[in-house]
Amino acid sequence: MARSRGLSARQSSTLLSIGKPTAFMSGEEWNQLYFENCRIPKRNVLLGIGGFKKQIAGFNVERLGNSARSLALGRYAFNLAREHAAVRKQFGRHLCEFQGLQWKFADMALKLESAQMLLYRAANVREELPSPYQTAIAKLACNQAGFEVANEAVQIMGGLGYSQESLAEYCMRRTRGWMIAGGSTEILKNRIAESVFDRRFDQRGQAGRGG
């Protein structure tokens, strides 16, 4: 690497490298970024000491976006399955005429509608930032509803739903990732439980050490 004029040998060894891409089941590819000996000017530091705790409070806004996307894809898959059940025939009857599938669609509709109401409540912010408790409940409900409904849509549509001729399988794969990103469903349950008991729980067991 050529040395820049006016930089010391240590500074000139600064290196930003991009790792190999990792393919995800959603179809995206991500790369890790590696910073070696990178010196950041003070004016470019976004968060000072203790700033992460302030920044993470705004993370609930991103979680609402995650929730909305999960819910939207779950509803899209629901509509695909509904249209399929309305026209597809088996044994001389449309699929929607079978009671077993009617119950499936009723359960799917309940999950979507319930999750949407929780999302609306969390997004109806009267203060500066969304409530961590309401956001955690909304994301958990939307993640689960989106994935479970998309998964059920694939099952209802059979081979068509499993194939890439339909977007149902994409909705299932995409919503599955949002159950991990932005705070996994397990972490969300931890946060909800802390609000229920109005206390923080040390999941690492540090409180019980030291005799």
Side-chain angles (χ1 to χ4, degrees):
M1 180 182 294
R3 180 178 301 181
S4 300
R5 181 179 300 178
L7 295 179
S8 67
R10 181 179 180 183
Q11 288 175 314
S12 65
S13 64
T14 295
L15 180 64
L16 166 62
S17 58
I18 301 176
K20 65 178 182 179
T22 298
F24 291 99
M25 62 186 297
S26 63
E28 294 180 325
E29 287 189 351
W30 288 42
N31 299 70
Q32 287 188 327
L33 301 180
Y34 298 93
F35 297 87
E36 299 179 17
N37 300 321
C38 292
R39 300 177 65 86
I40 308 300
K42 186 176 181 180
R43 64 179 181 277
N44 292 341
V45 176
L46 299 179
L47 298 175
I49 298 176
F52 180 75
K53 290 184 178 180
K54 296 180 181 179
Q55 186 270 342
I56 200 66
F59 192 51
N60 288 315
V61 176
E62 191 280 335
R63 283 180 169 171
L64 292 182
N66 178 308
S67 305
R69 292 190 292 272
S70 298
L71 190 63
L73 284 187
R75 190 172 292 280
Y76 185 84
F78 174 86
N79 289 334
L80 288 177
R82 179 175 58 82
E83 293 170 4
H84 179 79
V87 298
R88 175 71 173 173
K89 285 187 175 181
Q90 288 288 349
F91 310 108
R93 301 169 61 188
H94 288 106
L95 293 181
C96 62
E97 297 178 20
F98 291 91
Q99 187 181 63
L101 283 187
Q102 293 170 11
W103 288 356
K104 282 181 180 291
F105 279 99
D107 288 338
M108 293 159 71
L110 176 62
K111 291 176 181 179
L112 292 172
E113 296 294 337
S114 300
Q116 185 166 333
M117 291 298 102
L118 290 171
L119 177 58
Y120 283 168
R121 184 186 70 168
N124 186 24
V125 180
R126 297 189 179 184
E127 299 181 2
E128 185 176 355
L129 293 171
S131 160
Y133 172 72
Q134 293 183 3
T135 299
I137 284 188
K139 184 179 185 298
L140 179 61
C142 290
N143 284 169
Q144 290 182 337
F147 174 72
E148 291 171 4
V149 169
N151 185 54
E152 197 69 88
V154 170
Q155 183 71 18
I156 291 170
M157 297 174 69
L160 177 61
Y162 190 66
S163 74
Q164 293 186 347
E165 294 183 24
S166 169
L167 287 177
E169 56 85 28
Y170 170 78
C171 294
M172 181 185 70
R173 290 187 287 111
R174 189 65 169 169
T175 52
R176 186 63 185 86
W178 285 327
M179 298 175 76
I180 300 172
S184 67
T185 53
E186 292 81 5
I187 289 296
L188 295 173
K189 290 178 181 179
N190 289 346
R191 296 294 173 262
I192 294 169
E194 288 178 347
S195 294
V196 169
F197 290 98
D198 193 25
R199 57 174 291 193
R200 295 298 301 270
F201 294 105
D202 182 4
Q203 304 297 337
R204 297 180 177 87
Q206 298 293 330
R209 296 179 182 177

